Amino acid sequence: MPTKKKNDVVQENNVVEIDAPEMEVTQDNAEIDETVSKEVKPEVPAIDKHLLGYSLIVENGKALKLSPKTQNHVFYQIATQDDGSLHIRLNGNEGGGLHSKEWISVNAIIEVLDAMKDQPIKSTILKSVFKGGSTNNAAFLAAVLRSDEIGLLTQSEKSVFIHKLSADYEERKTTLLNLK
């Protein structure tokens, strides 16, 4: 093996070794005959399959969970479907708890609530508007309906987990239905 001096090029087994200072000089003097191109694709955000066919009206709604033991929130969205109908869905929560991300017809919710005038309302009454069977669905939706933004329900005097229609239910209902 020949002795190697600084900045000398030594070729062995078809491998060229170049000291770093020589490499820099070589790179500066290199000529490229061919154009090398690499296609760079822009980053496209993932599409939420639940949004297909819907136009968002409220993208990041937030409601405090019902339990007085937590300050965690449930997140929701409100959208119109392609046919113009208004829908709401639970799209996340803090602190855990599974739930369905299906869109729920606001008219179906209103129908259930209208039938409960002057009666105490348990969250379980809202199970009928869901197709999915997560046990948290009804309570999370009740929390959303009690939020300051929607305000269709308020806490009953009987329990933090029992609801009643808000004093301004009819106005709140009209406001919600006119979001379109």
Side-chain angles (χ1 to χ4, degrees):
M1 175 174 159
T3 59
K4 181 178 164 190
K5 296 179 185 170
K6 189 172 187 177
N7 296 332
D8 281 347
V9 175
V10 178
Q11 187 168 359
E12 271 185 12
N13 299 330
N14 296 327
V15 175
V16 177
E17 294 179 10
I18 302 174
D19 285 348
E22 183 67 24
M23 183 182 292
E24 290 171 11
V25 173
T26 304
Q27 285 177 347
D28 289 340
N29 297 329
E31 289 183 30
I32 301 174
D33 294 327
E34 295 179 25
T35 303
V36 178
S37 67
K38 181 179 179 186
E39 187 178 332
V40 178
K41 295 180 182 179
E43 243 182 78
V44 179
I47 295 174
D48 185 342
K49 66 180 181 181
H50 298 287
L51 294 178
L52 296 176
Y54 292 88
S55 299
L56 286 176
I57 297 170
V58 176
E59 186 173 354
N60 297 310
K62 184 175 173 178
L64 195 60
K65 287 185 177 180
L66 298 177
S67 175
K69 296 177 183 178
T70 184
Q71 289 297 306
N72 290 335
H73 294 88
V74 175
F75 303 101
Y76 65 92
Q77 294 176 320
I78 300 175
T80 54
Q81 199 170 22
D82 290 342
D83 65 4
S85 59
L86 193 63
H87 291 75
I88 193 166
R89 81 174 180 133
L90 305 168
N91 70 322
N93 76 89
E94 297 172 324
L98 298 175
H99 59 83
S100 300
K101 289 191 175 185
E102 68 191 80
W103 288 102
I104 304 141
S105 166
V106 170
N107 285 330
I109 295 168
I110 297 293
E111 188 177 313
V112 168
L113 295 179
D114 282 347
M116 299 303 295
K117 289 191 185 211
D118 302 322
Q119 296 179 45
I121 302 168
K122 291 185 177 183
S123 298
T124 55
I125 196 77
L126 297 168
K127 281 185 178 182
S128 63
V129 300
F130 286 93
K131 292 177 187 167
S134 177
T135 57
N136 294 319
N137 286 348
F140 285 0
L141 179 58
V144 168
L145 298 177
R146 277 172 55 167
S147 70
D148 292 337
E149 294 77 20
I150 296 179
L152 294 176
L153 297 176
T154 59
Q155 180 181 327
S156 168
E157 298 81 20
K158 295 180 181 184
S159 167
V160 70
F161 299 107
I162 304 290
H163 325 284
K164 64 181 182 180
L165 297 181
S166 62
D168 57 349
Y169 172 76
E170 290 299 328
E171 294 114 46
R172 294 281 193 151
K173 177 171 78 170
T174 301
T175 301
L176 178 60
L177 292 172
N178 286 331
L179 283 178
K180 301 174 186 185

Short mmCIF file of all heavy atoms in Angstrom, two decimals, residues 144-169:
data_model
loop_
_atom_site.label_atom_id
_atom_site.label_comp_id
_atom_site.label_asym_id
_atom_site.label_seq_id
_atom_site.Cartn_x
_atom_site.Cartn_y
_atom_site.Cartn_z
N VAL A 144 -71.99 19.89 25.60
CA VAL A 144 -71.96 20.82 24.46
C VAL A 144 -73.24 21.66 24.45
O VAL A 144 -73.19 22.88 24.25
CB VAL A 144 -71.78 20.05 23.13
CG1 VAL A 144 -72.03 20.95 21.93
CG2 VAL A 144 -70.39 19.44 23.07
N LEU A 145 -74.38 21.03 24.68
CA LEU A 145 -75.66 21.75 24.67
C LEU A 145 -75.79 22.72 25.85
O LEU A 145 -76.57 23.66 25.81
CB LEU A 145 -76.83 20.77 24.64
CG LEU A 145 -76.89 19.85 23.41
CD1 LEU A 145 -78.04 18.87 23.53
CD2 LEU A 145 -76.99 20.67 22.12
N ARG A 146 -74.98 22.49 26.90
CA ARG A 146 -74.95 23.40 28.05
C ARG A 146 -73.88 24.49 27.90
O ARG A 146 -73.80 25.39 28.73
CB ARG A 146 -74.68 22.61 29.34
CG ARG A 146 -75.95 22.01 29.89
CD ARG A 146 -75.76 21.05 31.04
NE ARG A 146 -75.03 21.52 32.19
CZ ARG A 146 -75.01 20.86 33.36
NH1 ARG A 146 -75.70 19.74 33.51
NH2 ARG A 146 -74.31 21.32 34.36
N SER A 147 -73.07 24.43 26.88
CA SER A 147 -72.00 25.42 26.69
C SER A 147 -72.59 26.82 26.53
O SER A 147 -73.74 26.98 26.12
CB SER A 147 -71.14 25.06 25.47
OG SER A 147 -71.88 25.27 24.28
N ASP A 148 -71.79 27.81 26.85
CA ASP A 148 -72.22 29.21 26.72
C ASP A 148 -72.59 29.54 25.27
O ASP A 148 -73.49 30.33 25.03
CB ASP A 148 -71.13 30.16 27.20
CG ASP A 148 -70.91 30.08 28.70
OD1 ASP A 148 -71.84 29.66 29.42
OD2 ASP A 148 -69.81 30.44 29.15
N GLU A 149 -71.89 28.95 24.32
CA GLU A 149 -72.12 29.24 22.91
C GLU A 149 -73.46 28.70 22.41
O GLU A 149 -74.12 29.33 21.60
CB GLU A 149 -70.98 28.68 22.03
CG GLU A 149 -69.63 29.33 22.26
CD GLU A 149 -68.93 28.85 23.53
OE1 GLU A 149 -69.26 27.78 24.05
OE2 GLU A 149 -68.06 29.59 24.00
N ILE A 150 -73.84 27.51 22.86
CA ILE A 150 -75.10 26.91 22.39
C ILE A 150 -76.22 27.18 23.39
O ILE A 150 -77.27 27.68 23.03
CB ILE A 150 -74.93 25.41 22.11
CG1 ILE A 150 -73.93 25.24 20.95
CG2 ILE A 150 -76.27 24.75 21.78
CD1 ILE A 150 -73.63 23.84 20.56
N GLY A 151 -76.04 26.82 24.64
CA GLY A 151 -76.94 27.20 25.72
C GLY A 151 -78.36 26.70 25.65
O GLY A 151 -79.26 27.33 26.20
N LEU A 152 -78.61 25.56 25.02
CA LEU A 152 -79.97 25.02 25.00
C LEU A 152 -80.36 24.42 26.34
O LEU A 152 -81.54 24.40 26.70
CB LEU A 152 -80.11 23.96 23.90
CG LEU A 152 -79.98 24.44 22.45
CD1 LEU A 152 -80.04 23.26 21.49
CD2 LEU A 152 -81.05 25.47 22.12
N LEU A 153 -79.36 23.91 27.07
CA LEU A 153 -79.60 23.30 28.37
C LEU A 153 -78.88 24.06 29.47
O LEU A 153 -77.87 24.72 29.21
CB LEU A 153 -79.10 21.84 28.38
CG LEU A 153 -79.76 20.84 27.43
CD1 LEU A 153 -79.06 19.49 27.53
CD2 LEU A 153 -81.24 20.72 27.73
N THR A 154 -79.38 23.94 30.69
CA THR A 154 -78.69 24.43 31.88
C THR A 154 -78.75 23.34 32.94
O THR A 154 -79.51 22.39 32.81
CB THR A 154 -79.34 25.72 32.44
OG1 THR A 154 -80.69 25.45 32.77
CG2 THR A 154 -79.26 26.87 31.46
N GLN A 155 -77.94 23.52 33.97
CA GLN A 155 -77.93 22.55 35.06
C GLN A 155 -79.23 22.66 35.85
O GLN A 155 -79.72 23.74 36.13
CB GLN A 155 -76.74 22.83 35.98
CG GLN A 155 -76.64 21.88 37.15
CD GLN A 155 -75.45 22.21 38.03
OE1 GLN A 155 -74.42 22.66 37.55
NE2 GLN A 155 -75.60 21.98 39.32
N SER A 156 -79.77 21.50 36.21
CA SER A 156 -80.96 21.43 37.05
C SER A 156 -80.57 21.71 38.50
O SER A 156 -79.42 21.54 38.88
CB SER A 156 -81.59 20.04 36.94
OG SER A 156 -82.56 19.85 37.92
N GLU A 157 -81.53 22.13 39.28
CA GLU A 157 -81.29 22.35 40.70
C GLU A 157 -81.06 21.02 41.42
O GLU A 157 -80.47 20.98 42.49
CB GLU A 157 -82.49 23.07 41.36
CG GLU A 157 -82.78 24.44 40.80
CD GLU A 157 -83.57 24.43 39.49
OE1 GLU A 157 -84.23 23.42 39.17
OE2 GLU A 157 -83.49 25.44 38.77
N LYS A 158 -81.54 19.93 40.85
CA LYS A 158 -81.48 18.61 41.49
C LYS A 158 -80.07 18.01 41.51
O LYS A 158 -79.69 17.38 42.48
CB LYS A 158 -82.43 17.64 40.79
CG LYS A 158 -83.88 18.04 40.91
CD LYS A 158 -84.77 17.06 40.20
CE LYS A 158 -86.22 17.51 40.31
NZ LYS A 158 -87.14 16.56 39.73
N SER A 159 -79.33 18.17 40.40
CA SER A 159 -78.02 17.53 40.30
C SER A 159 -77.22 18.17 39.18
O SER A 159 -77.78 18.68 38.21
CB SER A 159 -78.18 16.04 40.00
OG SER A 159 -76.96 15.45 39.62
N VAL A 160 -75.91 18.12 39.31
CA VAL A 160 -75.03 18.63 38.25
C VAL A 160 -75.17 17.80 36.97
O VAL A 160 -74.88 18.27 35.88
CB VAL A 160 -73.56 18.68 38.74
CG1 VAL A 160 -72.98 17.28 38.92
CG2 VAL A 160 -72.69 19.50 37.82
N PHE A 161 -75.65 16.57 37.11
CA PHE A 161 -75.78 15.68 35.95
C PHE A 161 -77.20 15.65 35.38
O PHE A 161 -77.48 14.89 34.45
CB PHE A 161 -75.34 14.26 36.33
CG PHE A 161 -73.90 14.20 36.76
CD1 PHE A 161 -73.57 14.03 38.10
CD2 PHE A 161 -72.87 14.36 35.84
CE1 PHE A 161 -72.24 14.00 38.50
CE2 PHE A 161 -71.54 14.33 36.24
CZ PHE A 161 -71.22 14.15 37.58
N ILE A 162 -78.10 16.43 35.95
CA ILE A 162 -79.46 16.54 35.43
C ILE A 162 -79.59 17.92 34.79
O ILE A 162 -79.04 18.91 35.28
CB ILE A 162 -80.51 16.39 36.56
CG1 ILE A 162 -80.33 15.07 37.31
CG2 ILE A 162 -81.93 16.52 36.01
CD1 ILE A 162 -80.70 13.83 36.52
N HIS A 163 -80.30 17.99 33.68
CA HIS A 163 -80.41 19.23 32.92
C HIS A 163 -81.86 19.68 32.84
O HIS A 163 -82.78 18.92 33.13
CB HIS A 163 -79.89 19.02 31.49
CG HIS A 163 -78.73 18.09 31.41
ND1 HIS A 163 -77.47 18.45 31.78
CD2 HIS A 163 -78.66 16.78 31.03
CE1 HIS A 163 -76.65 17.42 31.62
NE2 HIS A 163 -77.35 16.39 31.17
N LYS A 164 -82.03 20.91 32.41
CA LYS A 164 -83.35 21.43 32.07
C LYS A 164 -83.16 22.37 30.88
O LYS A 164 -82.03 22.82 30.61
CB LYS A 164 -83.98 22.15 33.26
CG LYS A 164 -83.22 23.38 33.71
CD LYS A 164 -83.91 24.02 34.90
CE LYS A 164 -83.15 25.29 35.32
NZ LYS A 164 -83.78 25.94 36.45
N LEU A 165 -84.22 22.64 30.19
CA LEU A 165 -84.14 23.58 29.08
C LEU A 165 -83.80 24.96 29.64
O LEU A 165 -84.30 25.34 30.70
CB LEU A 165 -85.45 23.64 28.30
CG LEU A 165 -85.88 22.34 27.60
CD1 LEU A 165 -87.19 22.56 26.85
CD2 LEU A 165 -84.81 21.82 26.66
N SER A 166 -82.96 25.70 28.96
CA SER A 166 -82.56 27.02 29.43
C SER A 166 -83.77 27.97 29.39
O SER A 166 -84.72 27.74 28.64
CB SER A 166 -81.41 27.57 28.59
OG SER A 166 -81.82 27.72 27.25
N ALA A 167 -83.70 29.01 30.19
CA ALA A 167 -84.80 29.99 30.25
C ALA A 167 -85.03 30.64 28.88
O ALA A 167 -86.16 30.95 28.53
CB ALA A 167 -84.49 31.05 31.31
N ASP A 168 -83.97 30.80 28.11
CA ASP A 168 -84.09 31.39 26.77
C ASP A 168 -83.95 30.33 25.66
O ASP A 168 -83.42 30.59 24.59
CB ASP A 168 -83.06 32.51 26.58
CG ASP A 168 -81.62 32.06 26.81
OD1 ASP A 168 -81.41 30.93 27.30
OD2 ASP A 168 -80.71 32.83 26.48
N TYR A 169 -84.47 29.15 25.95
CA TYR A 169 -84.37 28.01 25.04
C TYR A 169 -84.85 28.33 23.63
O TYR A 169 -84.17 28.04 22.65
CB TYR A 169 -85.15 26.81 25.61
CG TYR A 169 -85.26 25.64 24.65
CD1 TYR A 169 -84.17 24.80 24.43
CD2 TYR A 169 -86.45 25.37 23.97
CE1 TYR A 169 -84.26 23.73 23.55
CE2 TYR A 169 -86.54 24.31 23.10
CZ TYR A 169 -85.44 23.49 22.88
OH TYR A 169 -85.53 22.44 22.01
#
